[in-house]
Amino acid sequence: MHPDPESPLAEAALTLLAHPWIGEARPGAGGRLHVRPDHSALTIRPVGGLVTEYLEHWGEVYDWTYTHDDARHSPDLDLSGWRASDTGRPLPVAHMREWIDHTVDLVLGTGPRWILELGSGTGLLMHRLLDRVEGYVGTDVSAAAVAALRARGLPRTAIVRAAAHEATTPAVRAALEEIGAPGGRPDCVVLNSVTQCFPGVDYLRVVLGDVMGLVAPGGSVIVGDVRDSRLLHAYARWVEEATAPSTAAGEIARRAADRAARDEELLFDPPLLARLAADLARDSGRTARLRVHPKTMTDDTELTRYRFDAVLRVDAGPPPVPKEVDWTSLPGDDRLGALTALLSGEPVHVRGIPNAVLGRDRPGAVAPSRLRAAAGPGAAVVADPGDPATLGVAGPADAAARPVQELVGGTAHDPFIAFTRRRLQEISRSVLRRSVPSHRDIAVVVEPPATGIGEDRDEDQDGDGDAEIRRRAAARAAEAVANVDAARLPGFLRRLDEAALLAMACTLRPAGLIRDGATAGEIMDALKVAERHGWILRRWLEALTREGLLRRDAQGRFHGLRKVRRDEVVAAGRGLEADGAAIGYPAETTRFLLAAMNRLPELLRDEVPAQALLFAGDDMSTADGAYRENTVNRYLNAAAGETLRWAAGRRAEPLRVLELGAGVGGTTVDALRALTGQDIDYLFTDVSRYFLSLGQERFGDRPGVRFALFDINAGPAGQGVPPGSQDVLLSANVLHNARHAPDAVAALGRSLAPGGLFVFVETCREMPAILTSMQFLMSPRTGGPRLYPGDPRDAGDRVFLTREEWLKVLREAGLDPMFTLPGDDHPLAATGLHLFVARRR
């Protein structure tokens, strides 16, 4: 996209477009340049410039490691680079020997004869497998590692310098023919402890496609020692707690979130691997089954806790049909003994075993190493692909294998996105410094590529990628407000806020702030503010001070209130109804906000409830306008509905949706419209029986919709919503009602199945017009708490978390943010309302 040559930043933008890695440069709000990478820089085949640079970085890292790290204990045990994250010291040799033996057993369990290992490094596996197979090809990007292995002159081997995406090149195929692999095809491909160096999920898909096409029918692809993306934040917290054990919990959480966000390695989980394999198998006409294994070493280290191994069997015969046994059905006094006895007979899969390494306090929890000892030869310890904290034992191992099409969801921590953003920012600054010195300090915003990255097709084209659903949601949202000038809405809302601030000041005049000053408590007494509304008054004082209408001295007394007359408040609101209606803001809603401003003394004294103004005469038009019909809510509800449509399209079974605090059904309308024609199990909930009754009137005839009372401040399981039972949690401006937002989100998140979506709208800034109206609905009952201690809003009587605080809450609750809308450069961003979409790990 070429910028308008008349714009002030045109020269800088056109200069950046000359760089081959920049495909789009355009001026944005605030004098910033928005840049997107060129598709050619991101491709895997041919290898784009950014991909090449990323791979070369890792090649240089390992070249240095293999030549400078003195960890060579013997010719076949070079542990260079294997250091603990918490101490920086080499991992214990005995533990690493056990790690190697674990992987060797995993490979031999597939019965290989000709092995291709991508990323063979110093040959830790090759040295131990070579005498057990007929031929072995090892590849690596490190010249030092390749030279060292070639120098050893190992029999029946061929060593090739090649990256993982070069598995099907002539050099590798020639090496496979050299070792005698029939048709130049291995029956086992090993990628062990290398995927963390891949430049993103797209690269993983290309490599997986190559090796699934290359491996002989019935063969195996082993993707081993993978860092589990679902455990990234647990890993980061573990490192922070180990390095600074006396640090306060809140600071540990902050540091862990920062560490996780900065992690420079590719992490993914078994469902994502299965999803990629399912797509590739479908496109190639092959079949694939997946089984997942935990690490079964004895010592409790990061290798045991946060990594898994996956075995894909390609075009294999039918697996054994096992007897399925629940762990809890075995005798509680000797479950391990009963397990050993079971494995001596017919094929069996014992499932549902809590993993003691990740949850030692769970009833019946067992460490993987103890299960390995009890299982004995011929059986294997496996992991539930959807839950790393749940184990199983299968005899034989393939009894636990599942067709890849059965696994849904999937998450990843993709470092290539951050790498691309960082490099393009560096390149942009460098180009501008050299070519346009007057713009050397210009701010550059790097955006994701306009299309997916990939070789032949991108993950987003079939609706699987996070970027695709964000584009779909944003497009649907834009369509919903296409008939209004959204750019005018922020100005209108500022006028509403200005009127509200004047109304606050006018209401406070009897408290004597103009003459003598007063404390917050004295003001409450003077105005006879109801105890439960005291927090609202304190927020008014904060807002008026911030906006310069009031002063606070060092002793906490307030002075100098600006003199505001009632007719000034009336004048500020004049014309707002018509002006708002012209840009899609319902006149009924504006009328309610202005009516509340005119009744503030009575609202503060609790003589008039805000509900009486919002639901006057049982007329729902005012509430509909507040929750649905205004421009920003139409935008956000439409995006939420499109997200649900996308989620439903990915499930063969009915989509299970729990809507929290559905209220008047403003968001429900868009959600159910988007799900038209889909099989659903939609639970409409609210804490109020009145709203349940209203919901039944409006949506009771829709098939698949149920209704129930639900309180977000109580545990979901105790209200009939067990863990893992939902595909989508949906809410709109509800979560700020939680008395402890982090705890509530964590509890609610556990009701999602792995890969399930938390879709919610929240206000992320305080708006004076809401502070003088809707927030009266949030006051607790007299004597009751509004917030619990420890909630980040408690100290300042806040109602809303910022967008960054919500993202932190999500991550700490085991939910990975996928996207938020609107973007920072969208005019509706000024409203402070945002849609959040996050996925459970």
Side-chain angles (χ1 to χ4, degrees):
M1 177 183 294
H2 291 272
D4 178 359
E6 301 299 323
S7 69
L9 299 179
E11 182 183 5
L14 289 172
T15 300
L16 291 183
L17 284 170
H19 194 283
W21 291 0
I22 297 177
E24 181 181 330
R26 69 182 192 280
R32 296 176 295 182
L33 276 180
H34 290 253
V35 170
R36 289 186 190 271
D38 191 78
H39 179 76
S40 64
L42 305 170
T43 56
I44 311 303
R45 193 174 289 127
V47 183
L50 284 164
V51 177
T52 297
E53 187 168 305
Y54 190 94
L55 293 171
E56 287 177 346
H57 159 74
W58 279 109
E60 291 169 359
V61 167
Y62 282 103
D63 271 339
W64 187 95
T65 299
Y66 295 146
T67 55
H68 292 80
D69 193 350
D70 186 15
R72 189 172 293 106
H73 299 274
S74 64
D76 66 349
L77 189 65
D78 186 345
L79 299 178
S80 298
W82 288 97
R83 293 179 176 272
S85 299
D86 55 338
T87 65
R89 300 172 183 169
L91 287 160
V93 174
H95 184 61
M96 289 305 303
R97 287 187 184 277
E98 196 176 3
W99 175 87
I100 297 168
D101 291 343
H102 164 91
T103 309
V104 167
D105 289 344
L106 189 70
V107 174
L108 291 176
T110 67
R113 298 175 66 190
W114 294 277
I115 293 178
L116 168 63
E117 184 182 3
L118 304 180
S120 51
T122 60
L124 291 176
L125 300 183
M126 181 187 300
H127 287 112
R128 289 153 183 82
L129 289 166
L130 181 57
D131 292 339
R132 312 286 292 273
V133 297
E134 297 185 29
Y136 204 110
V137 172
T139 73
D140 206 275
V141 295
S142 167
V146 169
L149 286 175
R150 284 177 175 169
R152 296 212 58 201
L154 299 170
R156 302 183 306 284
T157 65
I159 312 300
V160 181
R161 187 181 182 192
H165 70 276
E166 297 172 318
T168 58
T169 58
V172 177
R173 287 188 176 274
L176 288 166
E177 292 176 359
E178 179 186 335
I179 65 167
R185 302 178 72 178
D187 57 7
C188 182
V189 179
V190 178
L191 298 94
N192 192 65
S193 202
V194 294
T195 57
Q196 68 267 26
C197 303
F198 284 5
V201 171
D202 199 69
Y203 188 91
L204 172 65
R205 183 181 60 238
V206 169
V207 172
L208 194 61
D210 284 349
V211 298
M212 285 181 64
L214 181 62
V215 72
S220 300
V221 175
I222 298 175
V223 185
D225 207 43
V226 179
R227 294 183 61 198
D228 194 323
S229 56
R230 299 167 298 188
L231 301 175
L232 171 58
H233 288 273
Y235 159 80
R237 180 181 287 274
W238 168 77
V239 174
E240 294 298 335
E241 289 175 342
T243 53
S246 61
T247 304
E251 178 63 14
I252 287 288
R254 186 193 67 77
R255 292 181 185 179
D258 290 345
R259 176 180 288 272
R262 295 194 313 268
D263 201 296
E264 295 183 348
E265 296 185 349
L266 173 64
L267 286 70
F268 55 90
D269 60 13
L272 184 132
L273 183 65
R275 177 155 58 86
L276 296 180
D279 290 345
L280 294 163
R282 181 187 64 237
D283 292 347
S284 64
R286 308 195 77 177
T287 64
R289 297 196 304 269
L290 175 73
R291 68 176 193 262
V292 182
H293 298 264
K295 295 295 188 180
T296 58
M297 295 89 75
T298 304
D299 290 345
D300 182 4
T301 71
E302 61 193 281
L303 303 185
T304 319
R305 282 175 170 246
Y306 306 116
R307 303 192 182 204
F308 68 88
D309 301 311
V311 179
L312 284 162
R313 295 298 297 265
V314 181
D315 286 348
V321 179
K323 176 183 178 182
E324 298 284 353
V325 178
D326 288 330
W327 177 244
T328 55
S329 69
L330 299 181
D333 55 346
D334 187 18
R335 283 185 176 143
L336 289 176
L339 171 67
T340 302
L342 270 176
L343 293 169
S344 63
E346 62 184 342
V348 66
H349 178 202
V350 179
R351 61 193 180 188
I353 308 173
N355 186 347
V357 170
L358 298 178
R360 197 173 303 277
D361 297 333
R362 294 174 63 189
V366 184
S369 59
R370 293 188 64 200
L371 289 175
R372 178 195 62 197
V381 182
V382 295
D384 183 333
D387 182 4
T390 302
L391 305 175
V393 176
D398 269 349
R402 294 174 59 182
V404 289
Q405 292 83 358
E406 291 183 1
L407 300 174
V408 297
T411 66
H413 170 79
D414 194 330
F416 193 62
I417 298 169
F419 171 81
T420 298
R421 181 179 295 114
R422 182 174 66 251
R423 284 296 292 129
L424 286 192
Q425 285 176 335
E426 293 170 351
I427 289 166
S428 297
R429 287 195 295 268
S430 176
V431 169
L432 292 176
R433 278 197 302 270
R434 293 196 311 268
S435 305
V436 193
S438 61
H439 290 297
R440 62 185 303 159
D441 296 324
I442 195 171
V444 175
V445 178
V446 180
E447 298 177 348
T451 58
I453 60 175
E455 180 193 8
D456 299 317
R457 67 175 187 83
D458 57 66
E459 186 175 351
D460 294 335
Q461 287 176 346
D462 59 6
D464 282 342
D466 291 359
E468 170 64 14
I469 179 51
R470 186 189 189 281
R471 285 196 293 271
R472 281 175 51 176
R476 178 67 190 90
E479 181 184 346
V481 296
N483 62 338
V484 299
D485 186 359
R488 293 171 58 192
L489 183 63
F492 168 76
L493 294 178
R494 278 196 299 273
R495 290 175 59 196
L496 272 176
D497 285 344
E498 288 165 2
L501 288 166
L502 292 175
M504 292 179 198
C506 184
T507 303
L508 293 182
R509 285 184 63 187
L513 300 186
I514 297 174
R515 300 184 304 275
D516 307 319
T519 65
E522 290 169 346
I523 296 169
M524 285 186 62
D525 292 339
L527 298 178
K528 296 181 172 55
V529 176
E531 177 188 341
R532 71 191 195 98
H533 293 323
W535 71 276
I536 290 181
L537 178 72
R538 292 190 291 272
R539 293 308 304 165
W540 285 12
L541 297 172
E542 180 72 24
L544 290 168
T545 303
R546 184 175 61 246
E547 297 298 327
L549 279 74
L550 185 65
R551 297 194 311 273
R552 178 172 45 204
D553 63 24
Q555 287 71 45
R557 296 182 68 83
F558 294 91
H559 303 264
L561 178 69
R562 175 183 160 185
K563 295 181 180 180
V564 177
R565 299 185 309 275
R566 173 58 53 186
D567 59 351
E568 191 176 351
V569 178
V570 173
R574 191 172 294 127
L576 282 175
E577 284 187 36
D579 292 348
I583 57 173
Y585 201 88
E588 296 88 350
T589 305
T590 307
R591 195 176 306 129
F592 157 69
L593 296 175
L594 295 175
M597 293 177 201
N598 287 323
R599 305 291 297 275
L600 290 181
E602 296 99 317
L603 287 167
L604 281 175
R605 293 194 296 264
D606 228 3
E607 295 171 353
V608 174
Q611 292 91 330
L613 303 177
L614 185 61
F615 302 106
D618 286 334
D619 182 3
M620 297 307 301
S621 60
T622 302
D624 264 343
Y627 293 110
R628 176 171 177 260
E629 289 301 334
N630 68 68
T631 300
V632 66
N633 282 342
R634 288 209 307 275
Y635 176 95
L636 296 170
N637 288 340
E642 186 62 28
T643 303
L644 267 64
R645 190 199 315 272
W646 175 80
R650 295 161 60 85
R651 278 186 61 82
E653 299 173 357
L655 186 73
R656 302 166 297 179
V657 181
L658 169 61
E659 184 176 3
L660 308 163
V664 299
T667 302
T668 316
V669 171
D670 288 88
L672 292 180
R673 180 184 297 133
L675 295 173
T676 299
Q678 302 280 358
D679 287 334
I680 58 173
D681 179 9
Y682 193 107
L683 184 57
F684 177 111
T685 73
D686 200 277
V687 73
S688 163
R689 292 187 183 277
Y690 171 80
F691 286 132
L692 278 190
S693 175
L694 182 64
Q696 288 170 327
E697 291 178 13
R698 301 184 76 172
F699 312 112
D701 59 349
R702 172 68 187 266
V705 179
R706 299 181 291 121
F707 303 87
L709 290 171
F710 191 93
D711 183 359
I712 65 169
N713 289 303
Q719 301 180 82
V721 181
S725 64
Q726 303 299 313
D727 301 309
V728 177
L729 295 180
L730 175 66
S731 74
N733 276 312
V734 173
L735 296 180
H736 61 253
N737 291 291
R739 294 196 177 99
H740 193 290
D743 286 354
V745 169
L748 291 166
R750 287 191 288 271
S751 68
L752 284 169
L757 302 182
F758 205 149
V759 181
F760 65 94
V761 172
E762 270 299 329
T763 302
C764 296
R765 75 170 179 87
E766 188 173 73
M767 293 178 281
I770 303 302
L771 191 50
T772 54
S773 56
M774 300 294 290
Q775 289 190 15
F776 282 91
L777 300 173
M778 294 189 59
S779 290
R781 293 180 179 177
T782 302
R786 189 177 71 84
L787 297 172
Y788 290 149
D791 185 282
R793 301 163 295 168
D794 188 31
D797 285 315
R798 287 193 296 149
V799 173
F800 305 113
L801 294 171
T802 65
R803 182 173 60 174
E804 291 68 29
E805 286 175 321
W806 276 120
L807 294 174
K808 180 181 178 182
V809 165
L810 289 169
R811 294 187 182 102
E812 291 178 354
L815 299 158
D816 291 319
M818 296 169 65
F819 65 90
T820 66
L821 288 174
D824 290 339
D825 56 350
H826 195 285
L828 292 181
T831 67
L833 276 83
H834 290 277
L835 172 72
F836 294 80
V837 179
R839 180 191 285 119
R840 185 188 171 190
R841 296 178 200 132

